[in-house]
Amino acid sequence: MRTTFLFVSILFAFDCAAQQRTAGFAGSCLSLQLGIGNRPDAIYGTMPYCFTTYDGHADRYPLNQAVGSGTINFSGEVRPRAGQAGLYEADYAAYNTVYVSVEYGSITLNLPTANADNNGFPDLVQLNQAVNANLTGTATRDWPSSGATSISGSLVRSANQRTGSYSLTFADSAATLSGNWRISAVVGNITYARGPVNTISLSLVGELGTYTGNTTFVVNNANQIVLPQFNLFNNDTSVFTVQAGTTFNRTGKKYVANATLQDGIRETEWPDFIHWVFEINDPNDADGNGIPDLSDTLVGAPVISVQPKSQSVNAGTTVSFNVNATGAAPLFYQWKMNGVNLPGATASSLVLSSVQPDDAGGYSVTVSNPLAVNGSVAATLAVNVAPTIIGQPQAQAVTLGGSGAMSVSVVGTPVLSYQWQINGVSIAGATRATLTFSNLTGSMPGDYCVAIANMAGSVTSAVATLSLLPPQNISDCVPAPTGKVGWWPGDGAANDIQGLHNGALKNGTWFAAGQVGQAFSFDGVTNQVNVGSVFPGVTNNFTMEFWVNPTASRRSTSEANSGISGATGQRYAIFPRHGSSGYGSGHVGAGVSVGNNGVSVFEHTDFYLSSLLVQDTPIIGWTHVAVVYQNKQPQLYINGVLRRTGLASLYTVHPSADLGGPY
């Protein structure tokens, strides 16, 4: 396979306009170009190394382009790493004497950053500067095996010569790689003209010929000009595109810009050699004030002394914007909204009657005469709209201890303020669009409304009544047992009505109608009520009981008091807490899994999640389940009837308090 290396030169030009002035121009690509380097090798003889644009990947062959007949092109680009001055990087591919690939990887080089003419970019890439520098770096091999070694070497190039020589010595082999390197640079002159439309043209010379092109430019101030996107043409019809926003900043008579080129090099299919620096040296200074004519204010050109002012007004207000300008007569005005000309708005003042939200935006004016055009700053018009309610709060009926919410939907200019009221009295802290109720008490029912205001006005919502629902299905309730350590009724909250161990609703857990009042509703996937390890003093003898209405099956496991059997497929009503992390080594948390196909009692600690009691039986509709531990051994009661006694635990057992949740 035959391998070739292509060097790339990118060159620039601009056309010119009337009343031209001439200035010098230079352009330098910040990337270097390394040609094929040859390195002696004890196994392969002389090995050629080809360099190409760094792609950041260690798992693929470096960027290249097949051009037919077994020929592969590499870009040769050594690109500066963004934000790290002097650090350059490239990928490489090495071949043996018959051009079969031997290895590939990447290099990083520490190159000199000296800048003798203080123009903001290194001498290394400037055509008029000589280079005789030592370098260091690292070579990283990606294939056929990974590895790294240090690099030392040198770069030599004479002033006004694009090509020089390089050497790179790899520390692991002590072999030296040598070849030629070059820079991409152009020099020449520009001609420019100032007026209502500022124009630039360039005629430049690079190593491949002459380049021409033209563009307009904008003078931001005496120290800055900006070029839009434009094309550059080589005498072989190559086209290069300089991206918009190329900004030249001035120091003395010198203007310097960082430029980005969309890749116009036909030999590569990926962006390379795209980062450039342009420099203009303008000796023209007609008024002798030290500012070159390229960015100086033209004598007689329009000058805006008073800019239009930003305003914030309420809808329906009449607004006027004004500008004061001086310059050679006649002066012409054109007002714009968001950069678009306003028909007929050609006076020094702009009057807008009864403004509405659609009138909000940025207003500016251009002032022109035959010499130049000057644009004002954009003044912002903000039109404030009073709040309008588009969604009223709705009446609520909630059971005692339950929860609910009222909300209002409003449109209007921010910032909107809210104040909820009950029976005409403001509620402290109720200043959001939604008012929530939790653990409803007898003092909360009443008539609620909310007042909304902004800088343009205010509005009050309709009244929504919060009423109290009586408890449901209480006639069959029996007195609560004594000795309770935790009780979570699920009536609209995760609170423990013993008052000690309130839980937290997790992952969208909510409520449904229960056997009495409300109940927790779990999806069997992620829903959970998290309480924590809250029973350090309750061990070995206790009861866990609950009403349950399962709608899916749980995975039945074998009874065991060792090992792990419950890691998947369970529907926990009470999640078995990890005993070791909650209470210490030798402790377990007990929990209960319930499906419509039966009940399983689980214990959980380090390397242990086993079902000590398994009862496979249909569980249909609301069913009362009680698990009674006596001396570490669980017994299962269903609707008050003892159904099974399980295995004795080998650990110290605690009841768990987390409800629902999968493993």
Side-chain angles (χ1 to χ4, degrees), residues 10-14 22-28 127 185-191 200-205 211 225 227 230 232 242 246 248 255-257 259 276-283 294:
I10 304 178
L11 308 174
F12 306 87
F14 304 80
T22 300
F25 182 93
S28 296
L127 184 61
V186 292
V187 294
N189 294 317
I190 71 167
T191 54
I200 285 180
S201 67
L202 277 81
S203 179
L204 305 176
V205 175
Y211 289 74
I225 68 170
L227 277 59
F230 60 96
L232 307 168
V242 180
T246 301
F248 288 83
Y255 299 78
V256 177
W276 284 70
V277 177
F278 295 161
E279 180 179 325
I280 298 173
N281 284 281
D282 185 14
L294 183 63

mmCIF file of all heavy atoms in Angstrom, residues 10-14 22-28 127 185-191 200-205 211 225 227 230 232 242 246 248 255-257 259 276-283 294:
data_model
loop_
_atom_site.group_PDB
_atom_site.id
_atom_site.type_symbol
_atom_site.label_atom_id
_atom_site.label_comp_id
_atom_site.label_asym_id
_atom_site.label_seq_id
_atom_site.Cartn_x
_atom_site.Cartn_y
_atom_site.Cartn_z
ATOM 1 N N ILE A 10 -3.857 27.373 3.701
ATOM 2 C CA ILE A 10 -5.130 28.088 3.627
ATOM 3 C C ILE A 10 -4.824 29.579 3.505
ATOM 4 O O ILE A 10 -4.113 30.129 4.332
ATOM 5 C CB ILE A 10 -5.980 27.825 4.885
ATOM 6 C CG1 ILE A 10 -6.175 26.317 5.061
ATOM 7 C CG2 ILE A 10 -7.314 28.515 4.799
ATOM 8 C CD1 ILE A 10 -6.965 25.954 6.293
ATOM 9 N N LEU A 11 -5.361 30.219 2.495
ATOM 10 C CA LEU A 11 -4.992 31.587 2.188
ATOM 11 C C LEU A 11 -6.225 32.462 2.088
ATOM 12 O O LEU A 11 -7.341 31.973 1.940
ATOM 13 C CB LEU A 11 -4.203 31.615 0.873
ATOM 14 C CG LEU A 11 -3.010 30.624 0.829
ATOM 15 C CD1 LEU A 11 -2.395 30.619 -0.544
ATOM 16 C CD2 LEU A 11 -1.999 30.978 1.883
ATOM 17 N N PHE A 12 -6.041 33.807 2.119
ATOM 18 C CA PHE A 12 -7.160 34.723 2.302
ATOM 19 C C PHE A 12 -7.094 35.928 1.369
ATOM 20 O O PHE A 12 -6.021 36.383 1.006
ATOM 21 C CB PHE A 12 -7.163 35.249 3.741
ATOM 22 C CG PHE A 12 -7.159 34.142 4.723
ATOM 23 C CD1 PHE A 12 -5.972 33.589 5.136
ATOM 24 C CD2 PHE A 12 -8.339 33.601 5.172
ATOM 25 C CE1 PHE A 12 -5.963 32.544 6.008
ATOM 26 C CE2 PHE A 12 -8.340 32.554 6.050
ATOM 27 C CZ PHE A 12 -7.152 32.023 6.468
ATOM 28 N N ALA A 13 -8.287 36.491 1.042
ATOM 29 C CA ALA A 13 -8.320 37.708 0.233
ATOM 30 C C ALA A 13 -9.654 38.401 0.357
ATOM 31 O O ALA A 13 -10.649 37.797 0.712
ATOM 32 C CB ALA A 13 -8.047 37.387 -1.229
ATOM 33 N N PHE A 14 -9.680 39.705 0.048
ATOM 34 C CA PHE A 14 -10.884 40.527 0.087
ATOM 35 C C PHE A 14 -10.824 41.537 -1.065
ATOM 36 O O PHE A 14 -9.751 42.012 -1.428
ATOM 37 C CB PHE A 14 -10.972 41.314 1.399
ATOM 38 C CG PHE A 14 -10.927 40.464 2.628
ATOM 39 C CD1 PHE A 14 -9.725 39.979 3.111
ATOM 40 C CD2 PHE A 14 -12.087 40.131 3.300
ATOM 41 C CE1 PHE A 14 -9.670 39.200 4.229
ATOM 42 C CE2 PHE A 14 -12.043 39.342 4.433
ATOM 43 C CZ PHE A 14 -10.841 38.886 4.899
ATOM 44 N N THR A 22 -4.627 51.817 1.854
ATOM 45 C CA THR A 22 -3.905 50.551 1.833
ATOM 46 C C THR A 22 -3.293 50.270 3.195
ATOM 47 O O THR A 22 -2.773 51.176 3.862
ATOM 48 C CB THR A 22 -2.795 50.576 0.770
ATOM 49 O OG1 THR A 22 -3.387 50.813 -0.516
ATOM 50 C CG2 THR A 22 -2.047 49.252 0.730
ATOM 51 N N ALA A 23 -3.351 49.003 3.622
ATOM 52 C CA ALA A 23 -2.739 48.568 4.874
ATOM 53 C C ALA A 23 -2.152 47.183 4.667
ATOM 54 O O ALA A 23 -2.515 46.463 3.733
ATOM 55 C CB ALA A 23 -3.771 48.551 6.005
ATOM 56 N N GLY A 24 -1.206 46.819 5.517
ATOM 57 C CA GLY A 24 -0.586 45.504 5.425
ATOM 58 C C GLY A 24 -1.424 44.437 6.116
ATOM 59 O O GLY A 24 -2.171 44.703 7.059
ATOM 60 N N PHE A 25 -1.284 43.192 5.642
ATOM 61 C CA PHE A 25 -2.059 42.086 6.201
ATOM 62 C C PHE A 25 -1.171 40.855 6.290
ATOM 63 O O PHE A 25 -0.337 40.602 5.412
ATOM 64 C CB PHE A 25 -3.262 41.771 5.321
ATOM 65 C CG PHE A 25 -4.143 40.679 5.862
ATOM 66 C CD1 PHE A 25 -5.232 40.984 6.646
ATOM 67 C CD2 PHE A 25 -3.879 39.342 5.581
ATOM 68 C CE1 PHE A 25 -6.044 39.986 7.148
ATOM 69 C CE2 PHE A 25 -4.683 38.331 6.079
ATOM 70 C CZ PHE A 25 -5.767 38.662 6.869
ATOM 71 N N ALA A 26 -1.330 40.101 7.374
ATOM 72 C CA ALA A 26 -0.668 38.805 7.517
ATOM 73 C C ALA A 26 -1.638 37.851 8.189
ATOM 74 O O ALA A 26 -2.436 38.254 9.037
ATOM 75 C CB ALA A 26 0.618 38.924 8.328
ATOM 76 N N GLY A 27 -1.589 36.594 7.794
ATOM 77 C CA GLY A 27 -2.427 35.576 8.416
ATOM 78 C C GLY A 27 -1.611 34.342 8.715
ATOM 79 O O GLY A 27 -0.782 33.916 7.905
ATOM 80 N N SER A 28 -1.811 33.761 9.906
ATOM 81 C CA SER A 28 -1.077 32.569 10.311
ATOM 82 C C SER A 28 -2.040 31.555 10.898
ATOM 83 O O SER A 28 -2.873 31.899 11.742
ATOM 84 C CB SER A 28 -0.005 32.905 11.357
ATOM 85 O OG SER A 28 0.976 33.757 10.817
ATOM 86 N N LEU A 127 5.315 33.943 9.863
ATOM 87 C CA LEU A 127 6.224 33.801 8.735
ATOM 88 C C LEU A 127 7.479 34.640 8.907
ATOM 89 O O LEU A 127 8.573 34.222 8.528
ATOM 90 C CB LEU A 127 5.489 34.176 7.437
ATOM 91 C CG LEU A 127 6.260 34.002 6.136
ATOM 92 C CD1 LEU A 127 6.643 32.541 5.933
ATOM 93 C CD2 LEU A 127 5.422 34.514 4.963
ATOM 94 N N ALA A 185 0.733 30.202 6.089
ATOM 95 C CA ALA A 185 0.758 31.641 6.316
ATOM 96 C C ALA A 185 0.568 32.375 5.000
ATOM 97 O O ALA A 185 0.893 31.859 3.928
ATOM 98 C CB ALA A 185 2.079 32.065 6.964
ATOM 99 N N VAL A 186 0.003 33.573 5.096
ATOM 100 C CA VAL A 186 -0.167 34.432 3.933
ATOM 101 C C VAL A 186 0.260 35.843 4.304
ATOM 102 O O VAL A 186 0.200 36.247 5.463
ATOM 103 C CB VAL A 186 -1.633 34.447 3.450
ATOM 104 C CG1 VAL A 186 -2.034 33.107 2.877
ATOM 105 C CG2 VAL A 186 -2.571 34.854 4.568
ATOM 106 N N VAL A 187 0.690 36.602 3.313
ATOM 107 C CA VAL A 187 1.038 38.007 3.506
ATOM 108 C C VAL A 187 0.528 38.787 2.304
ATOM 109 O O VAL A 187 0.316 38.237 1.224
ATOM 110 C CB VAL A 187 2.560 38.213 3.669
ATOM 111 C CG1 VAL A 187 3.057 37.584 4.949
ATOM 112 C CG2 VAL A 187 3.306 37.639 2.469
ATOM 113 N N GLY A 188 0.321 40.066 2.505
ATOM 114 C CA GLY A 188 -0.123 40.910 1.403
ATOM 115 C C GLY A 188 -0.641 42.230 1.905
ATOM 116 O O GLY A 188 -0.311 42.665 3.015
ATOM 117 N N ASN A 189 -1.491 42.862 1.088
ATOM 118 C CA ASN A 189 -2.050 44.164 1.420
ATOM 119 C C ASN A 189 -3.569 44.104 1.345
ATOM 120 O O ASN A 189 -4.147 43.309 0.603
ATOM 121 C CB ASN A 189 -1.545 45.236 0.447
ATOM 122 C CG ASN A 189 -0.049 45.456 0.581
ATOM 123 O OD1 ASN A 189 0.479 45.521 1.688
ATOM 124 N ND2 ASN A 189 0.642 45.545 -0.550
ATOM 125 N N ILE A 190 -4.195 44.968 2.124
ATOM 126 C CA ILE A 190 -5.618 45.173 1.990
ATOM 127 C C ILE A 190 -5.849 46.592 1.496
ATOM 128 O O ILE A 190 -5.016 47.475 1.694
ATOM 129 C CB ILE A 190 -6.375 44.954 3.315
ATOM 130 C CG1 ILE A 190 -6.065 46.086 4.304
ATOM 131 C CG2 ILE A 190 -6.074 43.603 3.914
ATOM 132 C CD1 ILE A 190 -6.996 46.132 5.502
ATOM 133 N N THR A 191 -6.966 46.786 0.830
ATOM 134 C CA THR A 191 -7.460 48.128 0.567
ATOM 135 C C THR A 191 -8.837 48.216 1.195
ATOM 136 O O THR A 191 -9.608 47.247 1.185
ATOM 137 C CB THR A 191 -7.545 48.420 -0.939
ATOM 138 O OG1 THR A 191 -8.327 47.411 -1.577
ATOM 139 C CG2 THR A 191 -6.156 48.458 -1.555
ATOM 140 N N ILE A 200 -13.753 46.062 2.528
ATOM 141 C CA ILE A 200 -12.351 45.631 2.532
ATOM 142 C C ILE A 200 -12.154 44.675 1.365
ATOM 143 O O ILE A 200 -13.011 43.839 1.081
ATOM 144 C CB ILE A 200 -11.979 44.906 3.841
ATOM 145 C CG1 ILE A 200 -11.821 45.897 5.000
ATOM 146 C CG2 ILE A 200 -10.665 44.142 3.687
ATOM 147 C CD1 ILE A 200 -11.450 45.227 6.308
ATOM 148 N N SER A 201 -10.996 44.789 0.693
ATOM 149 C CA SER A 201 -10.569 43.748 -0.235
ATOM 150 C C SER A 201 -9.116 43.420 0.065
ATOM 151 O O SER A 201 -8.361 44.273 0.517
ATOM 152 C CB SER A 201 -10.725 44.210 -1.686
ATOM 153 O OG SER A 201 -9.817 45.253 -1.970
ATOM 154 N N LEU A 202 -8.752 42.153 -0.147
ATOM 155 C CA LEU A 202 -7.388 41.701 0.101
ATOM 156 C C LEU A 202 -6.834 41.019 -1.134
ATOM 157 O O LEU A 202 -7.560 40.341 -1.856
ATOM 158 C CB LEU A 202 -7.336 40.720 1.272
ATOM 159 C CG LEU A 202 -7.287 41.358 2.669
ATOM 160 C CD1 LEU A 202 -8.649 41.786 3.127
ATOM 161 C CD2 LEU A 202 -6.664 40.396 3.670
ATOM 162 N N SER A 203 -5.556 41.222 -1.349
ATOM 163 C CA SER A 203 -4.815 40.489 -2.359
ATOM 164 C C SER A 203 -3.586 39.936 -1.659
ATOM 165 O O SER A 203 -2.677 40.686 -1.295
ATOM 166 C CB SER A 203 -4.421 41.404 -3.523
ATOM 167 O OG SER A 203 -3.675 40.693 -4.477
ATOM 168 N N LEU A 204 -3.572 38.622 -1.452
ATOM 169 C CA LEU A 204 -2.558 37.991 -0.611
ATOM 170 C C LEU A 204 -1.832 36.903 -1.388
ATOM 171 O O LEU A 204 -2.341 36.366 -2.361
ATOM 172 C CB LEU A 204 -3.211 37.382 0.634
ATOM 173 C CG LEU A 204 -4.058 38.337 1.478
ATOM 174 C CD1 LEU A 204 -4.705 37.591 2.612
ATOM 175 C CD2 LEU A 204 -3.217 39.486 1.981
ATOM 176 N N VAL A 205 -0.654 36.584 -0.888
ATOM 177 C CA VAL A 205 0.164 35.564 -1.524
ATOM 178 C C VAL A 205 0.481 34.492 -0.490
ATOM 179 O O VAL A 205 0.904 34.791 0.629
ATOM 180 C CB VAL A 205 1.464 36.160 -2.088
ATOM 181 C CG1 VAL A 205 2.361 35.053 -2.652
ATOM 182 C CG2 VAL A 205 1.145 37.185 -3.163
ATOM 183 N N TYR A 211 -4.637 34.841 -3.507
ATOM 184 C CA TYR A 211 -5.983 34.665 -2.990
ATOM 185 C C TYR A 211 -6.669 36.015 -2.932
ATOM 186 O O TYR A 211 -6.064 37.002 -2.522
ATOM 187 C CB TYR A 211 -5.950 34.032 -1.597
ATOM 188 C CG TYR A 211 -5.539 32.595 -1.645
ATOM 189 C CD1 TYR A 211 -4.207 32.243 -1.889
ATOM 190 C CD2 TYR A 211 -6.462 31.587 -1.487
ATOM 191 C CE1 TYR A 211 -3.826 30.929 -1.953
ATOM 192 C CE2 TYR A 211 -6.089 30.252 -1.543
ATOM 193 C CZ TYR A 211 -4.766 29.929 -1.781
ATOM 194 O OH TYR A 211 -4.399 28.616 -1.847
ATOM 195 N N ILE A 225 -13.101 46.414 15.015
ATOM 196 C CA ILE A 225 -13.924 46.228 13.822
ATOM 197 C C ILE A 225 -14.324 44.750 13.757
ATOM 198 O O ILE A 225 -13.620 43.881 14.290
ATOM 199 C CB ILE A 225 -13.201 46.649 12.524
ATOM 200 C CG1 ILE A 225 -12.034 45.715 12.221
ATOM 201 C CG2 ILE A 225 -12.746 48.094 12.593
ATOM 202 C CD1 ILE A 225 -11.431 45.917 10.833
ATOM 203 N N LEU A 227 -15.952 41.595 11.100
ATOM 204 C CA LEU A 227 -16.260 41.148 9.747
ATOM 205 C C LEU A 227 -17.355 40.089 9.785
ATOM 206 O O LEU A 227 -17.373 39.240 10.680
ATOM 207 C CB LEU A 227 -15.015 40.554 9.082
ATOM 208 C CG LEU A 227 -14.018 41.523 8.438
ATOM 209 C CD1 LEU A 227 -13.470 42.517 9.440
ATOM 210 C CD2 LEU A 227 -12.871 40.734 7.783
ATOM 211 N N PHE A 230 -17.616 35.465 5.120
ATOM 212 C CA PHE A 230 -17.287 35.767 3.729
ATOM 213 C C PHE A 230 -16.450 34.626 3.158
ATOM 214 O O PHE A 230 -15.936 33.777 3.881
ATOM 215 C CB PHE A 230 -16.532 37.104 3.615
ATOM 216 C CG PHE A 230 -15.227 37.137 4.374
ATOM 217 C CD1 PHE A 230 -14.025 36.864 3.736
ATOM 218 C CD2 PHE A 230 -15.204 37.462 5.722
ATOM 219 C CE1 PHE A 230 -12.832 36.903 4.431
ATOM 220 C CE2 PHE A 230 -14.009 37.503 6.423
ATOM 221 C CZ PHE A 230 -12.816 37.222 5.778
ATOM 222 N N LEU A 232 -13.329 33.196 0.460
ATOM 223 C CA LEU A 232 -12.012 33.485 -0.091
ATOM 224 C C LEU A 232 -11.790 32.574 -1.294
ATOM 225 O O LEU A 232 -12.169 31.401 -1.269
ATOM 226 C CB LEU A 232 -10.933 33.219 0.955
ATOM 227 C CG LEU A 232 -11.162 33.925 2.307
ATOM 228 C CD1 LEU A 232 -10.223 33.373 3.345
ATOM 229 C CD2 LEU A 232 -10.990 35.419 2.142
ATOM 230 N N VAL A 242 -14.670 32.075 5.893
ATOM 231 C CA VAL A 242 -14.341 32.599 7.214
ATOM 232 C C VAL A 242 -15.649 32.816 7.960
ATOM 233 O O VAL A 242 -16.545 33.497 7.471
ATOM 234 C CB VAL A 242 -13.554 33.920 7.121
ATOM 235 C CG1 VAL A 242 -13.223 34.441 8.514
ATOM 236 C CG2 VAL A 242 -12.277 33.703 6.311
ATOM 237 N N THR A 246 -15.651 37.611 12.950
ATOM 238 C CA THR A 246 -14.205 37.799 13.102
ATOM 239 C C THR A 246 -13.956 39.215 13.620
ATOM 240 O O THR A 246 -14.227 40.200 12.932
ATOM 241 C CB THR A 246 -13.488 37.579 11.767
ATOM 242 O OG1 THR A 246 -13.767 36.259 11.304
ATOM 243 C CG2 THR A 246 -11.995 37.764 11.922
ATOM 244 N N PHE A 248 -11.518 42.151 15.089
ATOM 245 C CA PHE A 248 -10.174 42.709 15.187
ATOM 246 C C PHE A 248 -10.136 43.725 16.320
ATOM 247 O O PHE A 248 -10.934 44.672 16.347
ATOM 248 C CB PHE A 248 -9.776 43.407 13.881
ATOM 249 C CG PHE A 248 -9.485 42.475 12.742
ATOM 250 C CD1 PHE A 248 -10.513 41.960 11.962
ATOM 251 C CD2 PHE A 248 -8.179 42.116 12.439
ATOM 252 C CE1 PHE A 248 -10.248 41.109 10.908
ATOM 253 C CE2 PHE A 248 -7.909 41.266 11.368
ATOM 254 C CZ PHE A 248 -8.941 40.755 10.603
ATOM 255 N N TYR A 255 -4.096 45.718 14.293
ATOM 256 C CA TYR A 255 -5.379 45.075 14.581
ATOM 257 C C TYR A 255 -5.180 43.563 14.487
ATOM 258 O O TYR A 255 -4.656 43.066 13.472
ATOM 259 C CB TYR A 255 -6.452 45.490 13.579
ATOM 260 C CG TYR A 255 -6.756 46.972 13.558
ATOM 261 C CD1 TYR A 255 -5.908 47.870 12.913
ATOM 262 C CD2 TYR A 255 -7.902 47.480 14.163
ATOM 263 C CE1 TYR A 255 -6.184 49.223 12.874
ATOM 264 C CE2 TYR A 255 -8.202 48.830 14.126
ATOM 265 C CZ TYR A 255 -7.336 49.699 13.475
ATOM 266 O OH TYR A 255 -7.639 51.039 13.440
ATOM 267 N N VAL A 256 -5.603 42.827 15.517
ATOM 268 C CA VAL A 256 -5.402 41.380 15.555
ATOM 269 C C VAL A 256 -6.740 40.702 15.823
ATOM 270 O O VAL A 256 -7.519 41.153 16.666
ATOM 271 C CB VAL A 256 -4.371 40.981 16.633
ATOM 272 C CG1 VAL A 256 -4.238 39.454 16.705
ATOM 273 C CG2 VAL A 256 -3.019 41.617 16.335
ATOM 274 N N ALA A 257 -6.999 39.574 15.096
ATOM 275 C CA ALA A 257 -8.260 38.836 15.261
ATOM 276 C C ALA A 257 -7.997 37.341 15.232
ATOM 277 O O ALA A 257 -7.156 36.862 14.471
ATOM 278 C CB ALA A 257 -9.252 39.194 14.158
ATOM 279 N N ALA A 259 -9.598 33.989 13.984
ATOM 280 C CA ALA A 259 -10.563 33.657 12.933
ATOM 281 C C ALA A 259 -10.743 32.143 12.861
ATOM 282 O O ALA A 259 -9.815 31.381 13.124
ATOM 283 C CB ALA A 259 -10.091 34.193 11.582
ATOM 284 N N TRP A 276 -7.061 30.315 12.997
ATOM 285 C CA TRP A 276 -6.114 31.259 12.412
ATOM 286 C C TRP A 276 -6.057 32.541 13.223
ATOM 287 O O TRP A 276 -6.961 32.835 14.011
ATOM 288 C CB TRP A 276 -6.537 31.595 10.975
ATOM 289 C CG TRP A 276 -6.224 30.499 9.998
ATOM 290 C CD1 TRP A 276 -6.817 29.287 9.898
ATOM 291 C CD2 TRP A 276 -5.217 30.548 8.985
ATOM 292 N NE1 TRP A 276 -6.263 28.557 8.889
ATOM 293 C CE2 TRP A 276 -5.276 29.311 8.299
ATOM 294 C CE3 TRP A 276 -4.300 31.503 8.582
ATOM 295 C CZ2 TRP A 276 -4.430 29.007 7.244
ATOM 296 C CZ3 TRP A 276 -3.460 31.208 7.518
ATOM 297 C CH2 TRP A 276 -3.528 29.979 6.863
ATOM 298 N N VAL A 277 -4.994 33.306 12.988
ATOM 299 C CA VAL A 277 -4.874 34.667 13.513
ATOM 300 C C VAL A 277 -4.598 35.589 12.336
ATOM 301 O O VAL A 277 -3.715 35.312 11.514
ATOM 302 C CB VAL A 277 -3.752 34.787 14.562
ATOM 303 C CG1 VAL A 277 -3.612 36.234 15.013
ATOM 304 C CG2 VAL A 277 -4.036 33.880 15.749
ATOM 305 N N PHE A 278 -5.404 36.659 12.228
ATOM 306 C CA PHE A 278 -5.207 37.677 11.200
ATOM 307 C C PHE A 278 -4.630 38.937 11.853
ATOM 308 O O PHE A 278 -5.007 39.291 12.979
ATOM 309 C CB PHE A 278 -6.523 38.046 10.525
ATOM 310 C CG PHE A 278 -7.162 36.940 9.731
ATOM 311 C CD1 PHE A 278 -8.514 37.010 9.414
ATOM 312 C CD2 PHE A 278 -6.432 35.852 9.288
ATOM 313 C CE1 PHE A 278 -9.114 36.000 8.683
ATOM 314 C CE2 PHE A 278 -7.019 34.845 8.551
ATOM 315 C CZ PHE A 278 -8.368 34.917 8.247
ATOM 316 N N GLU A 279 -3.763 39.642 11.111
ATOM 317 C CA GLU A 279 -3.163 40.878 11.615
ATOM 318 C C GLU A 279 -3.185 41.930 10.510
ATOM 319 O O GLU A 279 -2.783 41.657 9.378
ATOM 320 C CB GLU A 279 -1.730 40.617 12.072
ATOM 321 C CG GLU A 279 -1.034 41.844 12.618
ATOM 322 C CD GLU A 279 0.380 41.525 13.073
ATOM 323 O OE1 GLU A 279 0.603 40.403 13.585
ATOM 324 O OE2 GLU A 279 1.264 42.393 12.888
ATOM 325 N N ILE A 280 -3.702 43.108 10.849
ATOM 326 C CA ILE A 280 -3.708 44.256 9.938
ATOM 327 C C ILE A 280 -2.850 45.349 10.548
ATOM 328 O O ILE A 280 -3.008 45.677 11.734
ATOM 329 C CB ILE A 280 -5.134 44.787 9.700
ATOM 330 C CG1 ILE A 280 -6.012 43.708 9.047
ATOM 331 C CG2 ILE A 280 -5.111 46.048 8.849
ATOM 332 C CD1 ILE A 280 -7.466 44.101 8.925
ATOM 333 N N ASN A 281 -1.946 45.919 9.756
ATOM 334 C CA ASN A 281 -1.153 47.079 10.173
ATOM 335 C C ASN A 281 -1.534 48.260 9.286
ATOM 336 O O ASN A 281 -1.291 48.244 8.073
ATOM 337 C CB ASN A 281 0.345 46.779 10.044
ATOM 338 C CG ASN A 281 0.841 45.883 11.155
ATOM 339 O OD1 ASN A 281 1.071 46.343 12.263
ATOM 340 N ND2 ASN A 281 0.990 44.593 10.858
ATOM 341 N N ASP A 282 -2.171 49.265 9.888
ATOM 342 C CA ASP A 282 -2.694 50.407 9.121
ATOM 343 C C ASP A 282 -1.899 51.666 9.454
ATOM 344 O O ASP A 282 -2.009 52.208 10.560
ATOM 345 C CB ASP A 282 -4.172 50.611 9.449
ATOM 346 C CG ASP A 282 -4.795 51.709 8.592
ATOM 347 O OD1 ASP A 282 -4.163 52.117 7.595
ATOM 348 O OD2 ASP A 282 -5.916 52.150 8.926
ATOM 349 N N PRO A 283 -1.098 52.186 8.505
ATOM 350 C CA PRO A 283 -0.322 53.412 8.766
ATOM 351 C C PRO A 283 -1.119 54.693 8.534
ATOM 352 O O PRO A 283 -0.608 55.795 8.776
ATOM 353 C CB PRO A 283 0.824 53.286 7.757
ATOM 354 C CG PRO A 283 0.196 52.574 6.591
ATOM 355 C CD PRO A 283 -0.795 51.603 7.181
ATOM 356 N N LEU A 294 -8.784 53.093 9.660
ATOM 357 C CA LEU A 294 -9.599 51.880 9.568
ATOM 358 C C LEU A 294 -10.741 51.890 10.584
ATOM 359 O O LEU A 294 -11.836 51.413 10.292
ATOM 360 C CB LEU A 294 -8.715 50.643 9.774
ATOM 361 C CG LEU A 294 -9.392 49.276 9.637
ATOM 362 C CD1 LEU A 294 -9.914 49.062 8.224
ATOM 363 C CD2 LEU A 294 -8.433 48.161 10.040
#
